[in-house]
Amino acid sequence: QKTLTRVRFIELDAGGNPIGPGQEFTVEGTRVYLESLVIKFDDTFVEGGDALRGTSVCIFSKMFGENTPAAEGQPIDTVGQRPHPYAQGDTVDPWFDELWSSFWDYANDPEAAAEKGVRAMHGEAPWIEARPGGRYSVDLRSSGGLTITAK
Protein backbone atom coordinates (compact mmCIF):
# COMPACT_ATOMS: atom_id res chain seq x y z
CA GLN A 1 0.00 0.00 0.00
CA LYS A 2 1.29 3.45 -0.96
CA THR A 3 1.95 6.05 1.69
CA LEU A 4 0.82 9.50 0.65
CA THR A 5 1.79 12.72 2.41
CA ARG A 6 -0.32 15.85 2.03
CA VAL A 7 1.59 19.13 2.27
CA ARG A 8 0.27 22.68 2.52
CA PHE A 9 3.03 25.01 1.26
CA ILE A 10 2.74 28.70 2.16
CA GLU A 11 5.42 31.27 1.33
CA LEU A 12 5.84 34.09 3.86
CA ASP A 13 7.15 37.62 3.56
CA ALA A 14 9.87 39.05 5.80
CA GLY A 15 7.25 39.83 8.47
CA GLY A 16 5.96 36.26 8.54
CA ASN A 17 2.75 37.05 6.66
CA PRO A 18 1.47 34.71 3.92
CA ILE A 19 2.16 35.69 0.32
CA GLY A 20 -0.84 34.40 -1.57
CA PRO A 21 -3.15 31.55 -0.63
CA GLY A 22 -0.51 28.82 -0.59
CA GLN A 23 -0.60 25.53 -2.44
CA GLU A 24 -1.48 21.95 -1.53
CA PHE A 25 0.53 18.97 -2.71
CA THR A 26 0.24 15.24 -2.22
CA VAL A 27 3.53 13.36 -2.55
CA GLU A 28 4.17 9.64 -2.56
CA GLY A 29 6.12 8.51 0.51
CA THR A 30 7.04 10.24 3.77
CA ARG A 31 10.19 11.99 2.59
CA VAL A 32 9.24 15.38 1.21
CA TYR A 33 11.81 16.94 -1.12
CA LEU A 34 11.77 20.65 -1.92
CA GLU A 35 13.77 21.41 -5.06
CA SER A 36 14.89 24.98 -5.59
CA LEU A 37 17.29 27.20 -7.50
CA VAL A 38 19.49 29.31 -5.23
CA ILE A 39 21.54 32.46 -5.87
CA LYS A 40 24.23 33.24 -3.29
CA PHE A 41 25.86 36.64 -3.40
CA ASP A 42 29.44 37.57 -2.64
CA ASP A 43 30.16 37.67 1.11
CA THR A 44 30.96 41.40 0.97
CA PHE A 45 27.31 42.11 0.09
CA VAL A 46 26.02 39.78 2.81
CA GLU A 47 28.39 41.14 5.49
CA GLY A 48 27.64 44.73 4.44
CA GLY A 49 23.87 44.23 4.62
CA ASP A 50 23.33 45.29 1.00
CA ALA A 51 19.61 45.98 0.44
CA LEU A 52 19.30 43.65 -2.56
CA ARG A 53 22.30 41.34 -2.33
CA GLY A 54 22.60 41.05 1.43
CA THR A 55 20.95 37.65 1.51
CA SER A 56 20.67 34.60 -0.70
CA VAL A 57 17.54 34.25 -2.82
CA CYS A 58 15.76 31.21 -4.19
CA ILE A 59 12.94 30.04 -6.36
CA PHE A 60 11.09 26.89 -5.29
CA SER A 61 10.83 24.81 -8.43
CA LYS A 62 9.11 21.57 -7.37
CA MET A 63 8.07 19.23 -4.59
CA PHE A 64 8.15 15.43 -4.67
CA GLY A 65 8.35 12.36 -2.45
CA GLU A 66 11.02 9.65 -2.34
CA ASN A 67 9.01 7.38 -4.61
CA THR A 68 8.74 9.94 -7.40
CA PRO A 69 11.55 10.84 -9.82
CA ALA A 70 12.59 14.48 -9.41
CA ALA A 71 11.72 15.15 -13.07
CA GLU A 72 8.11 14.28 -12.23
CA GLY A 73 7.91 16.61 -9.22
CA GLN A 74 4.98 18.99 -8.87
CA PRO A 75 5.82 22.59 -9.86
CA ILE A 76 5.74 25.35 -7.25
CA ASP A 77 7.07 28.62 -8.75
CA THR A 78 7.60 29.28 -12.45
CA VAL A 79 11.26 28.84 -13.35
CA GLY A 80 12.64 31.78 -15.33
CA GLN A 81 10.44 34.33 -13.56
CA ARG A 82 11.02 36.39 -10.46
CA PRO A 83 10.12 34.26 -7.40
CA HIS A 84 6.83 35.09 -5.69
CA PRO A 85 8.34 36.77 -2.58
CA TYR A 86 10.50 39.03 -4.79
CA ALA A 87 7.63 39.99 -7.11
CA GLN A 88 6.18 42.41 -4.56
CA GLY A 89 6.72 46.06 -5.42
CA ASP A 90 9.40 47.44 -7.69
CA THR A 91 12.40 47.53 -5.35
CA VAL A 92 14.31 44.93 -7.37
CA ASP A 93 17.08 46.01 -9.74
CA PRO A 94 16.32 45.25 -13.42
CA TRP A 95 19.27 42.86 -13.64
CA PHE A 96 17.67 40.68 -10.97
CA ASP A 97 15.08 39.40 -13.45
CA GLU A 98 17.92 38.65 -15.84
CA LEU A 99 19.58 36.41 -13.24
CA TRP A 100 16.41 34.31 -13.02
CA SER A 101 15.65 34.20 -16.75
CA SER A 102 19.26 33.23 -17.60
CA PHE A 103 19.93 31.24 -14.42
CA TRP A 104 21.90 28.34 -15.93
CA ASP A 105 23.87 30.64 -18.26
CA TYR A 106 25.17 32.57 -15.24
CA ALA A 107 25.61 29.39 -13.18
CA ASN A 108 27.95 28.08 -15.88
CA ASP A 109 29.83 31.35 -16.42
CA PRO A 110 31.55 32.31 -13.14
CA GLU A 111 33.02 35.50 -14.59
CA ALA A 112 29.64 36.83 -15.75
CA ALA A 113 28.08 35.81 -12.42
CA ALA A 114 30.86 37.56 -10.47
CA GLU A 115 30.18 40.76 -12.43
CA LYS A 116 26.64 40.62 -10.96
CA GLY A 117 28.04 40.07 -7.45
CA VAL A 118 27.09 36.39 -7.45
CA ARG A 119 29.22 33.87 -5.56
CA ALA A 120 27.28 30.74 -6.58
CA MET A 121 24.12 29.66 -8.41
CA HIS A 122 22.87 26.10 -8.23
CA GLY A 123 20.02 23.79 -7.40
CA GLU A 124 19.24 22.39 -3.95
CA ALA A 125 16.77 19.74 -2.85
CA PRO A 126 16.66 19.37 0.94
CA TRP A 127 14.17 16.89 2.35
CA ILE A 128 12.67 15.81 5.63
CA GLU A 129 10.77 12.77 6.75
CA ALA A 130 7.33 14.27 7.35
CA ARG A 131 5.24 13.09 10.28
CA PRO A 132 1.44 13.15 10.56
CA GLY A 133 0.31 16.56 11.81
CA GLY A 134 3.86 17.93 11.55
CA ARG A 135 4.60 21.58 10.84
CA TYR A 136 7.86 22.53 9.19
CA SER A 137 9.68 25.72 8.36
CA VAL A 138 11.92 26.18 5.33
CA ASP A 139 14.42 28.98 5.79
CA LEU A 140 16.98 30.44 3.42
CA ARG A 141 20.13 31.48 5.23
CA SER A 142 21.65 34.85 4.37
CA SER A 143 24.93 33.31 3.31
CA GLY A 144 23.18 30.52 1.46
CA GLY A 145 21.48 27.23 1.84
CA LEU A 146 17.98 26.06 2.69
CA THR A 147 17.14 24.48 6.03
CA ILE A 148 14.03 22.53 6.97
CA THR A 149 13.14 22.35 10.65
CA ALA A 150 10.19 20.98 12.59
CA LYS A 151 8.05 23.58 14.36
Side-chain angles (χ1 to χ4, degrees):
Q1 182 176 11
K2 289 184 191 178
T3 299
L4 300 176
T5 301
R6 191 176 69 193
V7 177
R8 179 132 178 90
F9 183 79
I10 302 171
E11 293 184 72
L12 306 176
D13 65 15
N17 300 307
I19 300 172
Q23 301 175 63
E24 291 205 11
F25 299 92
T26 299
V27 301
E28 191 176 331
T30 59
R31 291 181 186 172
V32 178
Y33 289 79
L34 183 59
E35 183 178 285
S36 64
L37 299 179
V38 179
I39 300 175
K40 300 175 183 179
F41 294 101
D42 188 270
D43 290 339
T44 56
F45 292 115
V46 176
E47 293 165 2
D50 185 273
L52 295 174
R53 299 170 202 92
T55 186
S56 297
V57 292
C58 79
I59 184 170
F60 295 110
S61 52
K62 51 182 106 160
M63 185 177 294
F64 53 95
E66 78 263 23
N67 296 321
T68 303
E72 295 176 18
Q74 300 170 65
I76 300 174
D77 288 331
T78 304
V79 176
Q81 294 183 1
R82 187 185 304 168
H84 199 14
Y86 312 108
Q88 314 303 309
D90 52 353
T91 58
V92 179
D93 280 353
W95 62 260
F96 212 99
D97 287 331
E98 183 184 341
L99 286 175
W100 291 117
S101 64
S102 302
F103 187 91
W104 291 115
D105 293 332
Y106 281 106
N108 285 287
D109 187 344
E111 289 180 13
E115 288 176 12
K116 298 284 190 183
V118 172
R119 177 172 53 89
M121 296 174 79
H122 55 79
E124 284 190 29
W127 60 273
I128 193 161
E129 182 179 279
R131 301 282 170 91
R135 292 177 59 101
Y136 303 92
S137 176
V138 178
D139 296 301
L140 180 65
R141 297 177 52 94
S142 295
S143 59
L146 291 170
T147 59
I148 301 176
T149 54
K151 291 292 175 187

